[in-house]
Amino acid sequence: MTRIFERDLQYGLDTRAIHAGQEPDETTGAIMTPIYQTSTYVQPALGQHKGFEYARTRNPTRDALERNVATLESAKHGIAFASGLAATEAVLKLLTAGDHVICGENVYGGTHRLMTQVLGRLGLNFSFVDVRDPACIAKAITPATKMVFIETPTNPMMHLADLRAIAEHTRAGNGEAFFVVDNTFATPVFQRPLDCGADLVVHSTTKYLNGHSDMVGGIVVTSNDEAADQLAFLQNAAGAVPGPLDCWLALRGIKTLPLRMRQHDASGRRIADWLVGHSEVRQVYYPGLPDHPQHELACRQMEGFGGMISFEMGSLERAKAVCERTRLFALAESLGGVESLIGHPAIMTHASVPEGLRQSMGLSFGLVRISVGIEDPDDLVADLEQALEAARGVD
């Protein structure tokens, strides 16, 4: 298990993103953390080692990533995994068969699938609720509830959850339950859930933290010593660890995270405002818009709104026309990279979510989701304009 360097906490977030958890290489003085591409480590004598025995258990490059992200979230511990879903699975493995989990109804489709089709078969029980109303969390808590798991903003409906209110409800309803927040969309640049009462924070490092669409990974951060010990045990025992190159790529990306997030946010705000006024768009979902139902909460809880936007086209055919016409917005899964992406949640990221649940939360076949990159915003607007023209006259 990797603990942060306390001295890193004296610096601002922009400085921590570049330096936290990293030291020049002792052998060469290299300023960048080396890629320790090894599976094992030579021991000087039987029963003696230098802190590293086998690369599944620990790797110096992974250690640096874990310390870095933990510091950004003001956490004591970071535990890295091979993907965001592997990180989520490890968090859920803190529980035991028969335990109850309350989850936001609008989460990433892979998270829903993992819960209902994998861990549900192994004895965990799940309830899915609307996180926009903290009272829904309170009503769903039972003596068996051992975890509340949410995203905010949610994927792809951009619903927000009041973190402090949910933390209070979780403590009051069952003081033993973990409050877990997937902070992938907001990143620690715009939102730090541990400061709002969460116990654990999950990230897909694949997304904004890396920011360059060239690796897959996940991480859990926490200041709960016991949970961190258990997660480190699961990391080693189950073995879903990221390779050193992937950890290095994530570290490389995080150095520019604050800069990138500010541009994602600036361009996201501009494009959301523009979409609202477009005749072909039926509705825009973006917490930075003044008419978003939870805009006040977004302003109070977040330090920026980011680059994730969803908008309703009214039908599958119209959504398809837009998705297949863009030139700069690449039609692809994932999000959070420097390049802009466009996707169709009902067919792509959330296809495994039951249709009834998709409909109840407003995730229609007419919904389009975009991840606004850091290209020139004028070019992005022009690209969407010509794509939306393709939907004109389509029923």
Side-chain angles (χ1 to χ4, degrees):
M1 176 175 54
T2 303
R3 291 177 169 81
I4 65 170
F5 296 152
E6 294 297 330
R7 64 179 181 275
D8 288 333
L9 297 179
Q10 67 182 300
Y11 299 112
L13 188 130
D14 288 43
T15 303
R16 281 181 274 157
I18 295 171
H19 295 287
Q22 301 161 79
E23 295 285 349
D25 179 55
E26 291 184 1
T27 303
T28 66
I31 195 167
M32 292 296 293
T33 301
I35 303 169
Y36 287 91
Q37 195 71 43
T38 185
S39 61
T40 193
Y41 309 88
V42 175
Q43 302 184 18
L46 189 63
Q48 299 178 24
H49 56 80
K50 300 177 181 179
F52 300 92
E53 301 173 80
Y54 188 60
R56 187 188 66 247
T57 308
R58 280 190 70 191
N59 177 280
T61 315
R62 191 171 84 213
D63 281 3
L65 174 64
E66 291 172 333
R67 286 193 296 264
N68 182 265
V69 179
T71 303
L72 295 182
E73 288 280 10
S74 300
K76 291 170 61 179
H77 313 285
I79 307 95
F81 294 89
S83 69
L85 276 175
T88 298
E89 182 186 39
V91 165
L92 290 165
K93 283 179 177 176
L94 294 173
L95 308 181
T96 303
D99 287 347
H100 176 236
V101 179
I102 299 170
C103 182
E105 64 181 4
N106 180 207
V107 291
Y108 167 52
T111 301
H112 187 278
R113 179 180 58 219
L114 173 66
M115 291 178 173
T116 58
Q117 298 184 38
V118 180
L119 296 175
R121 293 190 295 104
L122 301 179
L124 294 184
N125 301 307
F126 296 91
S127 297
F128 296 91
V129 303
D130 187 343
V131 298
R132 289 174 292 182
D133 182 1
C136 291
I137 302 288
K139 292 176 183 177
I141 292 175
T142 73
T145 303
K146 294 299 190 297
M147 184 175 289
V148 174
F149 187 105
I150 67 166
E151 295 177 6
T152 182
T154 66
N155 182 4
M157 300 307 302
M158 306 306 292
H159 297 161
L160 269 66
D162 188 327
L163 294 174
R164 287 183 172 84
I166 293 175
E168 290 177 6
H169 284 306
T170 303
R171 303 285 181 270
N174 188 340
E176 297 180 354
F178 291 113
F179 178 27
V180 184
V181 179
D182 185 327
N183 200 31
T184 298
F185 269 28
T187 81
V189 176
F190 291 152
Q191 180 173 267
R192 287 171 290 282
L194 294 182
D195 293 344
C196 298
D199 298 300
L200 301 103
V201 171
V202 177
H203 283 277
S204 169
T205 53
T206 312
K207 311 302 194 300
Y208 283 112
L209 295 186
N210 165 258
H212 293 78
S213 304
D214 56 11
M215 56 78 67
V216 173
I219 196 165
V220 185
V221 298
T222 183
S223 292
N224 183 312
D225 295 339
E226 183 178 353
D229 285 338
Q230 293 181 59
L231 287 165
F233 170 79
L234 289 166
Q235 181 194 52
N236 182 55
V241 296
L245 176 58
D246 288 332
C247 293
W248 186 89
L249 289 168
L251 272 173
R252 181 277 320 266
I254 291 171
K255 290 181 184 297
T256 59
L257 175 66
L259 289 172
R260 288 186 285 106
M261 291 307 294
R262 288 193 279 272
Q263 186 59 56
H264 288 301
D265 181 64
S267 296
R269 295 185 196 211
R270 178 179 173 190
I271 290 172
D273 286 338
W274 176 81
L275 285 169
V276 167
H278 200 286
S279 60
E280 295 302 313
V281 176
R282 307 294 170 83
Q283 188 170 356
V284 181
Y285 302 93
Y286 183 69
L289 292 171
D291 63 352
H292 187 284
Q294 296 173 290
H295 179 66
E296 184 277 331
L297 174 60
C299 292
R300 172 163 43 92
Q301 184 169 275
M302 303 174 69
E303 298 176 22
F305 308 115
M308 297 304 301
I309 306 170
S310 295
F311 56 93
E312 177 60 52
M313 291 301 299
S315 71
L316 172 60
E317 290 72 21
R318 287 169 54 80
K320 182 174 183 289
V322 174
C323 288
E324 294 181 350
R325 181 69 177 265
T326 55
R327 297 162 183 160
L328 290 177
F329 282 86
L331 179 59
E333 302 227 7
S334 198
L335 58 100
V338 293
E339 63 288 308
S340 294
L341 302 179
I342 190 168
H344 188 273
I347 290 177
M348 298 169 73
T349 57
H350 289 68
S352 62
V353 177
E355 185 174 354
L357 182 57
R358 291 202 308 266
Q359 291 178 347
S360 70
M361 70 178 82
L363 203 170
S364 73
F365 278 99
L367 190 77
V368 174
R369 189 194 74 180
I370 58 174
S371 173
V372 179
I374 63 171
E375 303 94 337
D376 187 315
D378 289 338
D379 294 332
L380 296 178
V381 167
D383 188 38
L384 289 171
E385 177 66 74
Q386 62 85 27
L388 285 164
E389 280 298 314
R392 198 178 300 277
V394 177
D395 295 327

